[in-house]
Amino acid sequence: MGRIGKKLLLCLLAAAVMTVPCSAYADGEEAEPAPELTEEDTEETAAAEEKAKRSEAVEKAELSQEDAEQYLKKIGSADGFDVYYKDKDFDDELWEKAGGKPKSKKDYTEEQQLLADKIAELKKLGELVIIDTKTGKAAASFKSGSKCDEGRLWVSDAGRFFIITNEDTTKVIRLRQVVSTLDSRYAFISSDGKTVEILKKDLRGIDETFTYDGIEDGRRVYTAGDSFAWLTADRKHFLGAYRSGAENEKLRMIVDDRSAVFGIEVKDTGYIWWSSPLEATQDRAATALLADELRSSNVLRYGVPLKRSGNNVLRSGNENDCTFTVKDIKDGIRVEYDYKNAGFKVPVEYTLGEDCLIAAVKVSEIKETNAANVVTEMTVLGSLGAASDKEEGYYVIPDGCGALVRFNNNRSFQNNIYQQRVYGNDVTAVPQNKGAVTGQIYLPAYGVVKEDNALLAVAAKGDSNAYLTANVSRQSGSSYNICNLSFILRSTDSFYMSGSSNEKYTVFESGSIKSDDIEMRYYPISKKGADYTDIAERYRRYLMEEKGVTKRSTAGEAPMYLTLYGGVMKKKPVLGIPISLRTSVTSYGQAADIIGSLGSGGVEDMVISYKNWTNDGIKNKVDTDGKPSGKLGGRSGFGKLTDLIDEKGYSFYPVSDNRDFYSGNGYYSFTDTAVRVSGSYSRIVSYDRAYGIPNKFRKNMSLLSPGYFGEVLGDISENYPKNGLEGVSLGDLTCSLYGDYGKKGISRAKAETLLEEGYSRLDSSLENGILADTANAYALPYVSRIKDVPLCSGRSDIFDEDIPFYQMVLHGVLPYSSEAINGSADPETAVLMAAATGSCLSYDMIYEETGELKDTELDTLYYANYKYWTDTAAREQSLLAPMLEQVSDSFMTGYERDGDIITTDYSNGITVTTDLVEHTVSWDGGAIDLKD
């Protein structure tokens, strides 16, 4: 093999054995790049990974049957093995038979030397040795025995056998072989396969004995009273010993107290969702640690502040990491995980709801007893829904509009697993460089479809601190496809000392844990052929029944969503000196002209938002007064605009976006800015679009502390009605969540609560309520409309295809629009995708030529000049509105894409077919051709 070919092979090998990175990260920080591997490093890594793969324990006893008969005492036989006992003084007896032991080794005869060598070999063995009668060789050695009810119990050195003898070790009562040391070091089976015995965890007695009771669903079943154990049909693998737990009309819990693994049986179908895959222990593709993680119902990550270390992982399935106790409680079990060496105790309650499993953690009950260590993250039931490389199905990922990750999709060489923070990164920690463009997770949920079974997983509590991880088989470092939500209990941040870009230090949020309690809910879906549409339907029900989301969509409504931009700060020469001045790009009169042009073109209904329409808004100061800008036309011009909007019956939502601000208007960067975990102020950086590095020619803005959310939103709720305004758009404050880690000590969970309180005031005080500029799940109960809903996902490499999961959940509940059609790289396809996803059309427009936006914060609106879009937008709206009106208040019940043909079904019976190639949309009673 050539040198280039050898290097390629080594690189592929390194990628294939790559394990899942378990990193504690700073919110908003990009992951550290992996160091480049040399050829020598790659070979060492591959060798180390291969060595770490799991294999059955091997007994290393060496003794022939002839030597056993000659030098040891036979005490009996059992299950095809002869058992020999080695007396503690056996060597004295042997020397005595040989005429005595010489005082010095130099006096040994040749025969005495042979005897001395044999004695040395025998001393390496334990007190008992078993000889396989078929091979005549030693099968195992037993160092010592423990007292038990029947006499003495002996476990072999490698744990593959146990023997019970009488108390004085003169008689063998029975011998058993382990089923598999990979599965359990406590489960042993008789040679005839009729009995399985489970040892106590201290290996000092029998905990439970099971008797063979037949084969069911391809498994060997063993019973003991109300408990049962499962083995594979070939008796080579132990699948666990269980008892029935809590149950209700729909679900039953099956519990293994020894491993804290449990299953949820769906009574309608008999399908069982396991907290960990039953055969995860046999995954030969996984290292020992990853196999332990697969069978862990709880994974904890912690930091060591003095060492600046945050990448420490504890797994409940690893006996060296964790011990636990399982107790029955009402409707389920309580498991107390004790990570004694690290100093953590974590209780988790697993209970049955009416149609779901609930996994709950009260963070106040988490105990940190080692002052050197602090808990940073927790994954609850991280393997529930895991699928082997032999199973078919997919995960539903709520990234952007939504996406599917199909099991075993051969993305094993993609080193970067999918990992995104729910509700977006905590922007308090500003990254050094702009990260890659990714989709945002607006909904704290994901779905699993396996064969004919489906499951919805929802973060009912702790969602503000959750992040979603997904990876496929091999990429995960194992044979399993895995998707789960993890929860950040303490935020971390990084900083660089003395301006160095090489010495990076990690710091941890101080004090007690401030994050919200954790509650995961898992809803099995009992329906033949269940798919992602059923998962979306169940999540819609959850939002409406559990989270207070009310139906606000109405029949026959399909408005165009129009976003106008009033003014911007632009540098202009004054006496030869460049000075930033307020500059109009769409005055009130010009806004009226744009609206009038669209109306004349046939647009009958509009939802209009107007950004930068006040002096404070133009200057990026906190803007709550709702006072029109004199630069754009003053009160008179604004009054004429609102009169026109009222006359036409349009909905108007002036924008008050106060997340990022400059000092002034009562809010100042040194007192009212959010503080990072590292103690520095959070400044919103403008990045150079070519290189992704901070743009030093633009002044950084400050990030408003969440402590002022109540004040700011309260002022809007009072001032807007006074000025005759009936609605508001809050910009980033419906889709951005962050904390303040300074003296105010506001976590993301607390910030979420403050936002909800503010939304509620606005919703009750404004007749038209809130227009959300995309909306995180916690905002959904309070918003009247949503604009800019993504038409695609973030297009991660691991994704197989996009689905409109967000739209399937909300259609018929809350009215929404697409992202700006004219801002798309392919506007025609965007219109078609809007039709396929039931999205109203949306457009961005300004009146002045886009050249006016150069070197301003609005320079991304290069596409938005109204002259080029009013006619096209009006025609597109006129074509799509009749179809959208017919389904506006109906739920989306089906969505299927076959090549370039998309079929969308609605609860009122209407089916819409969209052809992306022919540019046609047809539905019951209508058809349009966008090419015309």
Side-chain angles (χ1 to χ4, degrees), residues 753-806:
T753 300
L754 294 171
L755 283 171
E756 290 186 49
E757 292 171 353
Y759 299 154
S760 181
R761 292 184 64 180
L762 287 167
D763 187 36
S764 60
S765 64
L766 297 172
E767 184 175 339
N768 290 340
I770 302 170
L771 170 65
D773 191 349
T774 65
N776 287 332
Y778 54 81
L780 296 177
Y782 311 99
V783 302
S784 299
R785 301 174 181 275
I786 308 172
K787 75 181 188 75
D788 289 346
V789 174
L791 293 173
C792 65
S793 71
R795 305 287 173 84
S796 169
D797 289 338
I798 198 176
F799 294 167
D800 289 287
E801 62 184 278
D802 287 355
I803 60 168
F805 184 72
Y806 193 96

Side-chain angles (χ1 to χ4, degrees), residues 417-435:
I417 63 174
Y418 175 81
Q419 191 172 89
Q420 288 290 337
R421 187 84 180 260
V422 173
Y423 305 147
N425 286 335
D426 191 331
V427 293
T428 313
V430 184
Q432 287 286 102
N433 299 311
K434 183 176 177 63

Side-chain angles (χ1 to χ4, degrees), residues 615-647:
N615 287 336
D616 289 332
I618 295 172
K619 294 178 180 179
N620 288 312
K621 295 182 179 179
V622 173
D623 174 23
T624 61
D625 292 338
K627 295 179 180 179
S629 169
K631 187 68 178 179
L632 302 181
R635 288 187 178 275
S636 174
F638 188 73
K640 292 178 182 178
L641 173 63
T642 55
D643 288 344
L644 171 65
I645 292 172
D646 291 341
E647 178 187 336

Side-chain angles (χ1 to χ4, degrees), residues 65-186:
Q65 186 165 6
E66 181 182 356
D67 285 346
E69 293 172 350
Q70 182 176 354
Y71 300 112
L72 305 180
K73 297 177 183 178
K74 183 177 179 181
I75 62 171
S77 300
D79 282 18
F81 296 91
D82 292 332
V83 183
Y84 290 86
Y85 175 69
K86 184 184 72 176
D87 191 279
K88 293 181 181 179
D89 300 324
F90 82 98
D91 52 338
D92 292 338
E93 295 178 9
L94 292 179
W95 279 116
E96 186 177 342
K97 289 180 182 179
K101 181 180 179 180
K103 294 182 178 180
S104 175
K105 291 183 179 181
K106 65 182 180 179
D107 296 330
Y108 284 180
T109 64
E110 186 175 342
E111 291 181 355
Q112 289 172 331
Q113 183 61 54
L114 291 174
L115 178 60
D117 293 342
K118 184 59 64 179
I119 289 172
E121 289 179 16
L122 293 171
K123 282 187 174 182
K124 296 177 181 178
L125 300 172
E127 292 186 47
L128 292 186
V129 180
I130 57 173
I131 302 293
D132 189 331
T133 56
K134 292 181 180 179
T135 64
K137 295 181 180 180
S141 170
F142 303 72
K143 282 190 171 62
S144 60
S146 305
K147 286 186 179 182
C148 67
D149 293 341
E150 299 173 82
R152 293 177 67 83
L153 185 147
W154 306 71
V155 179
S156 63
D157 296 347
R160 296 198 61 82
F161 300 85
F162 82 69
I163 297 174
I164 294 181
T165 68
N166 59 357
E167 193 166 343
D168 58 4
T169 320
T170 59
K171 180 182 178 181
V172 176
I173 297 175
R174 68 179 177 279
L175 177 149
R176 297 287 185 262
Q177 296 188 51
V178 75
V179 180
S180 167
T181 56
L182 294 180
D183 298 332
S184 171
R185 63 193 189 103
Y186 306 106

Side-chain angles (χ1 to χ4, degrees), residues 698-718:
R698 288 190 180 176
K699 183 181 177 182
N700 294 338
M701 299 177 72
S702 296
L703 184 68
L704 183 69
S705 169
Y708 296 100
F709 286 165
E711 180 179 316
V712 168
L713 298 181
D715 286 347
I716 296 172
S717 69
E718 293 178 4

Side-chain angles (χ1 to χ4, degrees), residues 576-848:
I577 301 173
I579 296 177
S580 291
L581 299 174
R582 285 179 291 121
T583 303
S584 173
V585 294
T586 309
S587 69
Y588 303 139
Q590 292 168 340
D593 289 344
I594 294 174
I595 294 169
S597 296
L598 291 168
S600 299
V603 179
E604 298 179 354
D605 193 10
M606 275 186 267
V607 173
I608 302 164
S609 58
Y610 201 174
K611 300 190 73 170
N612 293 6
W613 64 283
T614 66
N615 287 336
D616 289 332
I618 295 172
K619 294 178 180 179
N620 288 312
K621 295 182 179 179
V622 173
D623 174 23
T624 61
D625 292 338
K627 295 179 180 179
S629 169
K631 187 68 178 179
L632 302 181
R635 288 187 178 275
S636 174
F638 188 73
K640 292 178 182 178
L641 173 63
T642 55
D643 288 344
L644 171 65
I645 292 172
D646 291 341
E647 178 187 336
K648 296 292 186 181
Y650 302 153
S651 299
F652 185 42
Y653 293 89
V655 177
S656 178
D657 189 354
N658 298 303
R659 191 195 75 169
D660 310 336
F661 73 100
Y662 289 126
S663 285
N665 201 18
Y667 294 87
Y668 302 99
S669 60
F670 289 108
T671 57
D672 306 322
T673 302
V675 176
R676 299 172 57 158
V677 174
S678 61
S680 60
Y681 290 115
S682 291
R683 307 299 187 198
I684 301 302
V685 177
S686 295
Y687 297 99
D688 182 277
R689 290 194 174 87
Y691 301 102
I693 59 176
N695 186 338
K696 296 182 179 180
F697 294 100
R698 288 190 180 176
K699 183 181 177 182
N700 294 338
M701 299 177 72
S702 296
L703 184 68
L704 183 69
S705 169
Y708 296 100
F709 286 165
E711 180 179 316
V712 168
L713 298 181
D715 286 347
I716 296 172
S717 69
E718 293 178 4
N719 295 331
Y720 270 46
K722 290 179 183 177
N723 290 306
L725 301 174
E726 298 176 341
V728 68
S729 175
L730 299 176
D732 287 333
L733 285 186
T734 54
C735 62
S736 181
L737 186 63
Y738 57 94
D740 183 341
Y741 305 101
K743 292 181 180 180
K744 294 183 178 68
I746 300 174
S747 65
R748 275 175 53 124
K750 178 62 175 176
E752 180 180 322
T753 300
L754 294 171
L755 283 171
E756 290 186 49
E757 292 171 353
Y759 299 154
S760 181
R761 292 184 64 180
L762 287 167
D763 187 36
S764 60
S765 64
L766 297 172
E767 184 175 339
N768 290 340
I770 302 170
L771 170 65
D773 191 349
T774 65
N776 287 332
Y778 54 81
L780 296 177
Y782 311 99
V783 302
S784 299
R785 301 174 181 275
I786 308 172
K787 75 181 188 75
D788 289 346
V789 174
L791 293 173
C792 65
S793 71
R795 305 287 173 84
S796 169
D797 289 338
I798 198 176
F799 294 167
D800 289 287
E801 62 184 278
D802 287 355
I803 60 168
F805 184 72
Y806 193 96
Q807 290 91 334
M808 284 190 287
V809 170
L810 293 182
H811 198 281
V813 181
L814 294 174
Y816 59 82
S817 81
S818 67
E819 297 168 302
I821 296 297
N822 54 339
S824 170
D826 186 352
E828 292 81 5
T829 299
V831 171
L832 291 165
M833 289 304 301
T837 58
S839 305
C840 292
L841 300 181
S842 175
Y843 298 86
D844 292 336
M845 292 190 191
I846 65 170
Y847 192 89
E848 300 293 345

Side-chain angles (χ1 to χ4, degrees), residues 32-46:
E32 286 290 311
E36 294 185 6
L37 294 177
T38 64
E39 186 173 319
E40 183 179 356
D41 290 335
T42 306
E43 290 174 343
E44 290 178 357
T45 299

